[in-house]
Amino acid sequence: GNRLPNLDTVKWLIIPDASTRHAALRTSKIDILHGLNAEDRDVLLKTNPKLQFSRDIATSVTLLFARLDKKPFNDLRVRQALSLAIDYPAIVKNYYLGEAEVLAYPFPPEFKDTYIPLAELPEPTRQLFGYNPEKAKQLLAEAGYPKGFKTGVICYSTYVDILSIIKDYWAAIGVDLKI
């Protein structure tokens, strides 16, 4: 019955240098490389035409990893508020030019046996990816952050643009994100 993937181990390596990341992918030291821009993809495809690329995946809160044992992220309402504050369809349309999925983590649509489209997930899950800044503010207030809070994120340079968009969405609910 249970067809959900049950992974034994996932190692998420942070390799700051782009050329080192590319070399790791070309030499099969890593299996997946996120955050490639179009130029990087073109270079990698020229040197390794057998590489496979999936469509971009719209950045979501699920792709922002946080310490869940530390405030404010230990409160589910905070995490839900952050998700509700983002207009995912607008990001897909305007930033990714329609070439993205709102939720394609941990498996993108190309993983046909394990991928479940957002539209097929339970209604409470789908609601978390709906744009509702008023509900987001309410959840933050319930969690004890009526005026929001400050937080920071460390990222690859290729994520700065999308995180700048998220920063603006979060600012509307009082969350000050330092990139």
Side-chain angles (χ1 to χ4, degrees):
N2 186 352
R3 295 187 58 211
L4 294 176
N6 294 299
L7 303 174
D8 292 328
T9 303
V10 173
K11 291 183 181 178
W12 192 284
L13 302 177
I14 298 173
I15 307 171
D17 180 65
S19 62
T20 304
R21 287 194 306 273
H22 298 170
L25 182 65
R26 279 195 296 269
T27 60
S28 300
K29 299 294 183 193
I30 59 174
D31 299 310
I32 297 172
L33 182 58
H34 293 283
L36 287 174
N37 59 33
E39 184 179 328
D40 289 338
R41 289 182 199 167
D42 290 345
V43 168
L44 284 168
L45 278 173
K46 284 179 185 173
T47 58
N48 290 69
K50 291 184 179 181
L51 284 176
Q52 296 179 4
F53 289 93
S54 64
R55 295 187 316 158
D56 285 327
I57 300 168
T59 301
S60 66
V61 174
T62 59
L63 291 178
L64 292 172
F65 298 99
R67 292 280 310 266
L68 302 184
D69 61 333
K70 303 281 185 190
K71 290 184 177 188
F73 302 104
N74 63 332
D75 192 314
L76 177 63
R77 295 169 296 189
V78 169
R79 300 190 306 270
Q80 290 172 337
L82 295 176
S83 183
L84 290 168
I86 300 170
D87 188 346
Y88 296 102
I91 290 173
V92 169
K93 179 182 176 188
N94 300 317
Y95 181 77
Y96 290 103
L97 304 176
E99 289 298 318
E101 297 294 331
V102 169
L103 180 63
Y105 179 85
F107 300 105
E110 291 77 10
F111 287 75
K112 295 186 186 336
D113 292 339
T114 53
Y115 173 70
I116 302 171
L118 181 60
E120 294 177 18
L121 291 172
E123 179 61 24
T125 303
R126 291 194 310 267
Q127 287 178 1
L128 289 173
F129 292 91
Y131 182 50
N132 192 339
E134 291 309 313
K135 176 71 173 172
K137 289 178 188 176
Q138 175 189 340
L139 286 169
L140 283 181
E142 290 173 9
Y145 302 95
K147 295 182 181 182
F149 58 89
K150 292 182 179 188
T151 190
V153 63
I154 299 170
C155 67
Y156 294 123
S157 60
T158 52
Y159 288 115
V160 170
D161 290 342
I162 188 64
L163 284 170
S164 296
I165 294 168
I166 290 172
K167 175 183 175 124
D168 287 345
Y169 280 123
W170 286 359
I173 64 166
V175 175
D176 181 8
L177 178 65
K178 180 180 178 188
I179 303 171

